[in-house]
Amino acid sequence: MLITLAGCGGEEAAQPGPPGGGAGPEIAVVHGAPRAMGEEPASEEHAVEGYAAAMASNGALVAVGTTKAVYELGASGPLQLAIVGDGPDLPVSTGQVRAMAPYEEGLLVAAEGGLFYTAGGALQPSLGSEALAALTITAMNARVVRVTTGEDDATETHLALVTTDGARELSRGEMVSWTVEGEAGAPTAMLAQQDRIILAFEERVYEIDKATSKAYPVLFDAGRIRAIACDSLACEEGSLIYLASDEGLVERSPDGAYTLYPLAAEGEPAVAVESFALDAQKQRLYALAGPSVLRVHAGALPDAIATATPADLPRRIAVDKLGDVWSGGGLAVRKHAVGAPLSFAADVRPIMHEYCAGCHADGSQGAPRVDFTSYDVMLEAADVLLVRVTQGTMPPAGYEKKLPKEKIQILIDWDVTRAP
């Protein structure tokens, strides 16, 4: 797998925004434990060699990287991937895997032994640029955007890279370094959108406007931020963003408001969130927190859908093509059979609540009063609503919460069965 860089974009030094009107929002707090969801799903555990340090998936491929090797995860359990290639300096092993992310048709693997790529079946040393190979990558996530070239559709992968000496963004063959004035150390988490970078330095969070390189501090302390994730693969404007914090789950809504869910009753200790994984097909976001695998919902407490295996070090998580969740902790991985078809309650209602209820629930801004969070109402309105959202007239132009294309696709896919 070849990664080419047209040239490094140098360093974008983001200046802290002005105090007062230029500063970011404060945070609302919603207490309460995750909602328990019925019976415990079936699960199966498999041993791996080395501690499960990273996980990722891309289509039918899901893998775990440990402190010693990379395993492809399938119906029969983990399969250790051999390193193949023709070069004279072929690595004997990956060493400790530090990070994994989807890239093109497979997975990019950053490890102690170098940069690797797998499309399944084996690992190959990545033929990346010297600039990329020289980085010590500690975390990365991918934003996959569908583009149309002529009559063909293709995808572009944009990588956000956390390294030991700063934050990088690899996009369309160019790599840009992002820094915040006054922050000398390496970030603990990063997410890159088309127009915005979100960087965390321990408990300090900044939103960077890519057009102006202005960094706006977000005015809250939610503990150490471990990871940042989006609720859609393209993470376009209008998507929700989530931060894994020592103090719980932090949600950034499309209008820029932040909410902290401590995942505990008021007065009780908060439950730390350790990692995220996105079901790219159904656009479902999952998290690992305390004793549970969580299904994240827009504007609401998450659901506890399965019991997670405890571990001494941070655990990882990934989702396979069937929608089942794999969690890695200690010297084992566990498959949780939670995959389920799209439904109104689990997939459509959260979209309607986040993007439509703001006006239609009480008839504000001239919108007709319609309870789109009601299944019966949605059944009657589905045909007209789908026409309007696909045409881009709902939500109307100028509304602060743009409905992402991937959310529209969820509505279209659900309309085939209209499951409750």
Side-chain angles (χ1 to χ4, degrees), residues 335-346:
K335 178 182 177 181
H336 309 269
V338 298
L342 291 173
S343 69
F344 177 79

Side-chain angles (χ1 to χ4, degrees), residues 232-299:
S232 64
L233 194 59
C235 202
E236 60 186 344
E237 192 65 29
S239 300
L240 283 90
I241 295 170
Y242 293 89
L243 290 73
S245 163
D246 284 348
E247 297 298 323
L249 178 70
V250 180
E251 178 186 80
R252 183 193 187 277
S253 73
D255 62 3
Y258 281 83
T259 303
L260 169 64
Y261 297 90
L263 306 179
E266 189 169 4
E268 296 293 325
V271 178
V273 177
E274 299 173 49
S275 56
F276 295 112
L278 178 70
D279 181 339
Q281 290 188 316
K282 300 185 180 74
Q283 303 299 306
R284 294 173 176 173
L285 186 66
Y286 296 91
L288 272 177
S292 303
V293 177
L294 304 179
R295 166 76 195 281
V296 177
H297 295 292

Side-chain angles (χ1 to χ4, degrees), residues 9-67:
E11 182 171 291
E12 297 289 344
Q15 306 293 321
E26 296 187 5
I27 192 166
V29 180
V30 177
H31 291 279
R35 298 168 294 189
M37 295 298 292
E39 296 182 0
E40 180 74 15
S43 66
E44 53 189 51
E45 187 171 271
H46 303 274
V48 291
E49 184 180 359
Y51 191 91
M55 298 185 77
S57 61
N58 190 357
L61 175 62
V62 58
V64 58
T66 75
T67 50

Side-chain angles (χ1 to χ4, degrees), residues 116-159:
F116 300 86
Y117 177 79
T118 179
L123 278 175
Q124 297 178 345
S126 171
L127 301 178
S129 72
E130 292 183 4
L132 185 60
L135 298 174
T136 302
I137 299 170
T138 57
M140 57 182 169
N141 57 54
R143 181 172 64 90
V144 181
V145 181
R146 185 168 297 279
V147 295
T148 301
T149 56
E151 297 181 355
D152 299 325
D153 285 340
T155 58
E156 290 181 347
T157 303
H158 305 256
L159 290 176

